[in-house]
Amino acid sequence: DIVLTQSPGTLSLSPGESATLSCRASQSVSSSYLAWYQQNPGQAPRLLIYGASSRATGIPDRFSGSGSGTDFTLTISRLEPEDFAVYYCQQYGSSPQSFGQGTKLEIK
Amino acid sequence: EVQLVESGGGLVQPGGSLRLSCAASGFTFSSYSMNWVRQAPGKGLEWVSYISSSSSTIYYADSVKGRFTISRDNAKNSLYLQMNSLRADDTAVYYCARGPSGVKSRFDPWGQGTLVTVSS
C-alpha cells in the first residue's frame, strides 16, 4: 500500500503570504494520480487539484499543484482568510487509494 | 447543481447494524462510480468502499471487509452502505463521494456527511 506523508503538520502564516505544502509518497504515484483537498471545520472536503496539477472547477488560480513520482507540492499564493483550513493529499492510482494525514494551515 | 445528501447515521451499540443512504441529484447518477469515505473525530480521511456505475465492481478497505456492504439503486439515484458488526473504531463521519473517472478517480463532489457513533 502507498503511504502518503504530509509536511509540515501545521503551518502558521499571515494573510497575503504564500504557503507551500508537501506530500511525499512511499512509492511512485502512477500517472500523477494525485489530488489535493481542502477541509474547513465541520465541512466536507473540497477537491482543489487533481492529476497533480489540474485545478478543479471553480478553484482560483492562487492554488497550484506540482510534482511527480513520489514528491508533490500544493502552493497557495496570496493567502486569503478563507484559505486557513486543513489540506489533504490523496493518491488514487494504486489500490487501495490513500490519503495523507493532513496539514493544518493556521493564521499566524 | 450536483448534490449528495447522506442520511442514516446515529448512535448504535457495538455489534449492531446501521444502513447509510446517499441521495444524489443534479447529475446522471447511473454514469458515475461512487465511494464511501469516513473520518473519525479529529482524525484524517479513510477510504471505505467503491462501487462502479453498474455495480459490477466493488472494493472495500481491509478494515471493513466482511462487515460492510456497498450497493446502489440507479433508478432511485441512491447509494447505500450496510454496516454490520459495528465496532467502536467505526465511529466517524461517513461521506459519500462521486468518482468521475471510475476506480482511478479523485472524489468530487462530497456529501455533507452523516455521523455514526458506536458506543454502549
Side-chain angles (χ1 to χ4, degrees):
Chain A
D1 297 4
I2 295 180
V3 175
L4 299 179
T5 302
Q6 293 185 239
S7 61
T10 303
L11 186 57
S12 299
L13 294 170
S14 300
E17 293 188 300
S18 293
T20 301
L21 285 65
S22 174
C23 176
R24 179 161 291 179
S26 60
Q27 306 169 41
S28 182
V29 176
S30 62
S31 302
S32 295
Y33 286 137
L34 194 287
W36 290 92
Y37 300 86
Q38 177 193 65
Q39 187 177 34
N40 286 295
Q43 295 186 18
R46 177 176 71 143
L47 177 69
L48 298 174
I49 301 287
Y50 64 95
S53 60
S54 297
R55 270 187 303 277
T57 303
I59 301 304
D61 59 7
R62 300 184 293 103
F63 292 86
S64 63
S66 63
S68 63
T70 60
D71 290 299
F72 298 87
T73 301
L74 174 70
T75 302
I76 313 169
S77 59
R78 306 180 306 277
L79 284 166
E80 299 280 348
E82 60 269 25
D83 297 338
F84 292 90
V86 179
Y87 292 83
Y88 294 95
C89 59
Q90 175 211 18
Q91 71 79 21
Y92 50 94
S94 298
S95 182
Q97 54 194 286
S98 51
F99 293 92
Q101 83 281 13
T103 289
K104 181 180 181 180
L105 178 57
E106 65 177 23
I107 298 178
K108 187 175 182 179
Chain B
E1 178 194 3
V2 175
Q3 195 169 13
L4 299 170
V5 179
E6 301 93 336
S7 60
L11 176 64
V12 61
Q13 292 188 338
S17 298
L18 212 55
R19 189 195 196 205
L20 306 183
S21 299
C22 170
S25 61
F27 66 101
T28 304
F29 180 71
S30 59
S31 296
Y32 290 87
S33 59
M34 297 294 296
N35 297 267
W36 287 99
V37 180
R38 68 184 180 183
Q39 185 171 35
K43 302 298 184 182
L45 301 168
E46 179 189 15
W47 169 78
V48 172
S49 185
Y50 162 91
I51 187 168
S52 63
S53 57
S54 64
S55 303
S56 59
T57 302
I58 287 174
Y59 297 114
Y60 298 99
D62 287 345
S63 57
V64 307
K65 201 173 295 182
R67 301 187 298 121
F68 290 10
T69 302
I70 191 172
S71 62
R72 63 191 296 162
D73 185 336
N74 286 342
K76 295 183 177 180
N77 292 336
S78 293
L79 174 72
Y80 306 102
L81 187 67
Q82 177 67 43
M83 304 186 295
N84 298 330
S85 303
L86 283 162
R87 311 185 302 222
D89 62 359
D90 294 318
T91 294
V93 174
Y94 285 74
Y95 297 100
C96 62
R98 187 179 70 172
S101 307
V103 64
K104 292 189 176 183
S105 182
R106 70 272 192 189
F107 298 151
D108 183 40
W110 300 53
Q112 88 288 349
T114 187
L115 176 62
V116 172
T117 303
V118 183
S119 175
S120 54

